[in-house]
């Protein structure tokens, strides 16, 4: 797994909210595999595996508002999870809902509020 590979799972809100969260991460991780599109889905997912490092200070600003609370789970290397968490807490009002660590991966859950 590269240092920038990240899987993002989003629940709550709609597809527009999921896209806002994913777009906030693009400045840090580059483009995802695809943007959330299914308006009827209750869970959205995006994977970032680009090697492009857009900079740990980029992304997040001006990413838009959420219409409802969104629970975001980010999973990847500890560095990628830290960068994603930092980006999302700059872009949205966020509450840390916990983390779990494995040998080479980490998972963190955030609640983003409108």
């Amino acid at each position: 797994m590269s240092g920038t590979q990240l899987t993002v799972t989003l629940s709550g809100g709609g597809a527009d909210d999921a896209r806002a969260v994913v777009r906030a991460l693009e400045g840090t991780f580059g483009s995802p595999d695809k943007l959330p599109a299914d308006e009827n889905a209750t869970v959205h997912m995006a994977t970032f595996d680009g090697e492009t490092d857009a900079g740990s200070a980029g992304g997040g600003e001006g990413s838009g508002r959420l219409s409802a609370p969104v629970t975001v789970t980010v999973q990847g290397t500890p560095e990628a999870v830290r960068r994603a968490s930092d980006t999302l807490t700059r872009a949205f009002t966020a509450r840390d809902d916990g983390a779990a660590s494995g040998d080479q991966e980490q998972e963190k859950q955030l609640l983003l509020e409108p």
Side-chain angles (χ1 to χ4, degrees):
M1 174 180 287
S2 79
T4 59
Q5 188 171 16
L6 184 77
T7 301
V8 182
T9 307
L10 308 107
S11 60
D16 287 340
D17 295 319
R19 283 189 290 269
V21 173
V22 170
R23 286 191 178 111
L25 293 167
E26 286 180 333
T28 302
F29 293 96
S31 296
D33 56 348
K34 63 182 178 176
L35 285 173
D38 186 350
E39 296 295 331
N40 296 318
T42 57
V43 175
H44 298 277
M45 193 170 200
T47 302
F48 295 87
D49 32 44
E51 293 297 320
T52 304
D53 183 351
S56 59
E61 293 80 9
S63 57
R65 296 251 183 235
L66 300 175
S67 66
V70 176
T71 299
V72 179
T73 303
V74 291
Q75 181 180 13
T77 64
E79 175 65 12
V81 169
R82 182 194 62 75
R83 290 172 56 207
S85 179
D86 290 350
T87 299
L88 292 174
T89 56
R90 281 194 312 270
F92 303 99
T93 301
R95 181 181 78 202
D96 186 339
D97 276 354
S101 295
D103 287 346
Q104 298 176 18
E105 272 193 334
Q106 188 174 43
E107 181 176 292
K108 186 167 193 169
Q109 189 169 15
L110 299 168
L111 177 65
L112 307 182
E113 299 177 357

